[in-house]
Amino acid sequence: LEGVRGPFFARRDTVAAAAAGFAMVLMMMPIVDTWTHGTTTGSYIGGLLPYSDGRGYHLGALHLLQDGALDAWNSRRALNPAFLAGRLALTFGDFRWALLVQAAFAGGSAYLAGRAVGQDLGVAAGSVTYAVIALFGMPWMATVWTEPLGLTLGSLAFAALWHASRTKSAPALAAGFAL
């Protein structure tokens, strides 16, 4: 039985899964910090209630879930309220869990970008790539603005394009450009 590795993952797979999980948890830390301190900014009140554009995206996502259509304001950037509606459906309407899922997606995609770089240039370069993406994105993780989704899709596109440049894979190239 060629390819069978035994009852558990190979060590390399276990390390990769642990690193991906750690990357996801790190992206959740700003959200937990805003909840702990009850921070109020221009995008949320008390660390939890969406405000300004965030409120509009939240209401648009709820409208999409209830009526199956986006309102006029959310139609201008339809991906973000649709993505939020999907996360709310996945979490049975729990806004807090939807934010954590958002951060997990962003952390996972930043990890994939770092891993793509790390496969060619080494662990240090991959770690720096992840750190730069994470440090850029962390201030936005507690919001439902378009930035977390843009960071997620941009990191996935970067990872796919990097992979395509290494392997000359047309599907990876197409996926990178599509994202």
Side-chain angles (χ1 to χ4, degrees), residues 1 15 17 34 38 55 57-58 60 63 71 78 98 131-132 138 147 169:
L1 295 174
V15 170
T34 61
R55 180 177 180 271
Y57 290 126
H58 185 236
H63 189 266
D71 58 18
V132 168
M138 281 183 174
E147 283 78 3
S169 166

Side-chain angles (χ1 to χ4, degrees), residues 19-31 103-104 107 130-131 134 138 141:
F22 184 70
M24 291 180 202
V25 169
L26 276 179
M27 286 297 242
M28 294 177 190
M29 297 314 294
I31 298 170
Y130 169 79
M138 281 183 174
M141 284 303 115

Side-chain angles (χ1 to χ4, degrees), residues 112-159:
L112 291 174
R115 183 171 176 172
V117 170
Q119 287 177 335
D120 279 345
L121 304 178
V123 173
S127 298
V128 168
T129 301
Y130 169 79
V132 168
I133 294 170
L135 289 173
F136 175 78
M138 281 183 174
W140 306 104
M141 284 303 115
T143 73
V144 290
W145 290 3
T146 58
E147 283 78 3
L149 179 58
L151 180 90
T152 300
L153 296 177
S155 296
L156 288 174
F158 178 86

Side-chain angles (χ1 to χ4, degrees), residues 1 45 59 99 101 108 133 164 171:
L1 295 174
I45 299 169
L59 291 175
L99 284 177
V101 169
I133 294 170

